[in-house]
Amino acid sequence: MTTLSKLQNYLAEIAKNDKKGKKINAFLQLNPHAVEEAKKIDAKSRKGKLAGKIIGVKANINVLGLNASCASHVLENYESTYDASVVRKIKEEDGLIIGMLNCDEFACGWSGETSAFGPVKNPHALDLVAGGSSSGSGASVAAGFCDMALGSDTGGSIRVPASHCGVVGVKPSYASVSRYGLIDLSMSLDQIGTLTKNVSDAALLLSVISGKDENDSISVETKKLDFKKIEQVPRNITLGVLDFQIKDERIQKLIDKRVEEAKKKYGWKVQKIKIEHVDLAIATYFPLVYTEFFSSTRRLDGRRYGKRIEQAAGPEVLRRILGGAEISKAEHSGRYYYLALKAKKIIEQEFEKAFKKIDCIISPVVPRLPHKIGEKISMEEMFQYDALTSPMNLAGNCALSLPAGRIDNIPVGMQISCAKFEEEKMLQIARSFEKL
Ligand code: GLN
């Protein structure tokens, strides 16, 4: 099938079900040049690795000429003047950008409901949230609007929607993918990653976007990911099942069942693993996010990029700005931010210790099923969405969400996390689970 005919099928599906029909509301903008670009790709005699792949981009990642609005009125008229490094790499390999995807406003959220342009519906159950903050990225892949999507993950924002939408979502190790061109939420935690229909596509897209980039000084060169190697079932693997009490036992049981199946089929070893202080992850995560988000939003003062953030943003964004302003006050110096950094380091060390004994850590992605759109749930309950994902950002590990089955007909994801820069092993383990 040509790129053009594939694109046209997706565009027809979007026209039918994104703004009309099921009204998933995944896309905020379609790429007006997509048809032209598809024809150019088809006409090439030597095509890149991503030729024929149609890719959606979360609206907090810059794509030249498109609107990186961050799903906010603040940036609704902002047109990107450059490509983020990940987007440049995708284009160099002939991937086609189909459009910009809805998300929580400035990636601040758990469910996709903080978007200024309406929530994204879960394609598997239209009355439920798709999970956030990369809600459009998860829903667009699940709904059959594109092959792949880019998302960003600060505390779980790729893995949570991947889990609820039943797709594969990868948060790469901290610093392994350039963040140049990502509108940041929290610099010491953010990572751009992938949402795809299967593990092989995740490996393919990651192999394109990973690696050192001069424009992101923290990015590092990692072992080149050989996506063909992903098919190999790794030998002598010890799975560590995270010892963590969650409320919905059905979710843990589902994960345990998958682990048992893998143990039987591949002869892998399984042991329970306790990570000290993992229960402090949420309390550590938010002071960091509030402070760093406050700092990064100071440029949104209305002079250069559209509206002043305090005037045009929604309540979740404002809460974080207020919180960050308070924590950053000189009189609190050291009390919150630096303490959180210390706790982050301790959690990171606990994971490093664990990964000396085991190859990967398995847990649910989200300790609960998605709530109904508009349902009032307490802040504490909302924070729980990230209880199992944010520790991986604090530690810098790579982690992914893999569809593990369904409960009440809603997809449930299994989290597989490996030590920093062990993406290849993580994807091999995930692919082995996928084959079961
Ligand atoms: N839910 C978390 C938050 O609101 C994570 C967001 C993210 O990963 N971008 O901060």
Side-chain angles (χ1 to χ4, degrees):
M1 203 193 264
T2 61
T3 307
L4 181 63
S5 52
K6 222 171 153 193
L7 171 71
Q8 279 163 339
N9 289 349
Y10 279 137
L11 289 175
E13 201 50 45
I14 292 168
K16 201 168 90 200
N17 281 324
D18 202 34
K19 295 289 172 255
K20 289 192 249 151
K22 292 181 186 163
K23 277 200 186 152
I24 304 280
N25 199 24
F27 278 95
L28 294 177
Q29 184 191 22
L30 291 171
N31 175 5
H33 309 295
V35 167
E36 232 172 282
E37 290 170 13
K39 284 183 188 160
K40 273 197 198 142
I41 293 168
D42 285 333
K44 281 190 172 179
S45 51
R46 285 191 54 191
K47 296 189 178 55
K49 266 173 153 181
L50 291 175
K53 297 288 184 193
I54 314 284
I55 303 165
V57 178
K58 185 174 181 179
N60 62 352
I61 299 172
N62 281 287
V63 180
L64 177 69
L66 299 188
N67 176 213
S69 69
C70 293
S72 176
H73 290 306
V74 179
L75 292 174
E76 65 190 340
N77 299 316
Y78 162 68
E79 191 177 286
S80 300
T81 52
Y82 68 108
D83 280 328
S85 294
V86 286
V87 172
R88 173 180 54 77
K89 289 180 177 185
I90 286 173
K91 289 181 176 175
E92 282 167 3
E93 290 295 340
D94 294 328
L96 180 68
I97 307 295
I98 186 172
M100 304 304 283
L101 293 161
N102 204 352
C103 56
D104 280 298
E105 187 172 22
F106 285 98
C108 297
W110 302 258
S111 63
E113 293 172 292
T114 72
S115 165
F117 306 111
V120 177
K121 289 184 185 170
N122 190 318
H124 296 278
L126 299 174
D127 55 335
L128 302 184
V129 298
S133 67
S134 310
S135 46
S137 308
S140 61
V141 174
F145 296 159
C146 52
D147 292 312
M148 308 168 151
L150 290 178
S152 67
D153 192 311
T154 312
S157 278
I158 288 175
R159 289 157 288 160
V160 172
S163 174
H164 292 332
C165 293
V167 301
V168 176
V170 180
K171 180 206 91 73
S173 307
Y174 185 70
S176 66
V177 172
S178 168
R179 298 172 308 172
Y180 177 69
L182 169 73
I183 298 168
D184 50 334
L185 169 57
S186 180
M187 290 187 309
S188 50
L189 302 164
D190 290 337
Q191 203 51 68
I192 293 178
T194 62
L195 294 101
T196 55
K197 292 174 186 169
N198 53 50
V199 177
S200 314
D201 273 357
L204 173 62
L205 187 51
L206 259 186
S207 73
V208 171
I209 64 173
S210 309
K212 173 135 188 79
D213 174 28
E214 277 178 9
N215 289 322
D216 181 352
S217 58
I218 63 133
S219 68
V220 292
E221 198 53 76
T222 51
K223 198 175 98 192
K224 258 269 156 273
L225 188 70
D226 180 354
F227 64 91
K228 290 191 197 96
K229 272 207 195 149
I230 302 307
E231 289 302 319
Q232 295 169 9
V233 175
R235 302 273 154 229
N236 300 323
I237 288 290
T238 304
L239 306 178
V241 176
L242 186 68
D243 190 352
F244 192 93
Q245 197 64 34
I246 66 164
K247 232 168 143 188
D248 191 336
E249 282 176 9
R250 298 172 302 171
I251 296 179
Q252 189 65 53
K253 274 198 189 133
L254 185 73
I255 305 299
D256 292 344
K257 201 172 132 224
R258 305 295 282 159
V259 168
E260 264 318 294
E261 287 164 9
K263 181 179 163 188
K264 252 201 212 139
K265 171 130 191 217
Y266 303 124
W268 290 345
K269 291 194 210 75
V270 177
Q271 74 179 62
K272 273 233 165 200
I273 185 93
K274 201 167 173 62
I275 305 286
E276 269 335 301
H277 313 303
V278 78
D279 51 329
L280 296 180
I282 298 290
T284 306
Y285 172 83
F286 276 100
L288 296 176
V289 169
Y290 278 30
T291 311
E292 293 179 8
F293 182 58
F294 169 67
S295 151
S296 84
T297 54
R298 293 312 80 206
R299 68 196 151 169
L300 299 172
D301 56 5
R303 281 183 293 186
R304 268 195 297 176
Y305 307 101
K307 301 176 193 134
R308 198 172 149 233
I309 193 163
E310 284 81 356
Q311 281 168 340
E316 182 56 35
V317 165
L318 294 180
R319 185 209 322 275
R320 294 181 191 213
I321 290 175
L322 281 177
E326 184 61 32
I327 295 171
S328 311
K329 278 186 183 158
E331 70 246 41
H332 296 317
S333 165
R335 212 178 291 169
Y336 302 112
Y337 186 71
Y338 290 107
L339 199 60
L341 278 180
K342 268 193 206 161
K344 177 181 185 293
K345 191 79 209 158
I346 292 170
I347 292 173
E348 189 181 331
Q349 287 164 346
E350 287 300 323
F351 274 105
E352 279 165 6
K353 256 202 282 177
F355 284 127
K356 292 205 172 102
K357 291 185 272 180
I358 52 169
D359 291 285
C360 70
I361 297 178
I362 307 271
S363 74
V365 175
V366 191
R368 54 167 296 153
L369 294 179
H371 61 269
K372 282 209 162 71
I373 293 173
E375 185 183 332
K376 287 262 163 293
I377 71 170
S378 69
M379 232 32 223
E380 287 69 34
E381 256 184 283
M382 200 71 119
F383 285 151
Q384 285 310 307
Y385 268 85
D386 295 329
L388 294 162
T389 47
S390 60
M392 308 313 170
N393 301 73
L394 291 167
N397 305 336
C398 53
L400 60 76
S401 173
L402 180 77
R406 285 170 178 251
I407 293 173
D408 295 343
N409 220 16
I410 310 298
V412 168
M414 167 166 102
Q415 179 168 247
I416 303 174
S417 178
C418 285
K420 268 175 231 156
F421 310 126
E422 295 267 23
E423 269 80 355
E424 192 169 283
K425 180 160 81 179
M426 174 178 77
L427 291 162
Q428 284 179 337
I429 295 172
R431 177 74 187 112
S432 309
F433 269 104
E434 194 179 50
K435 281 192 250 181
L436 284 174

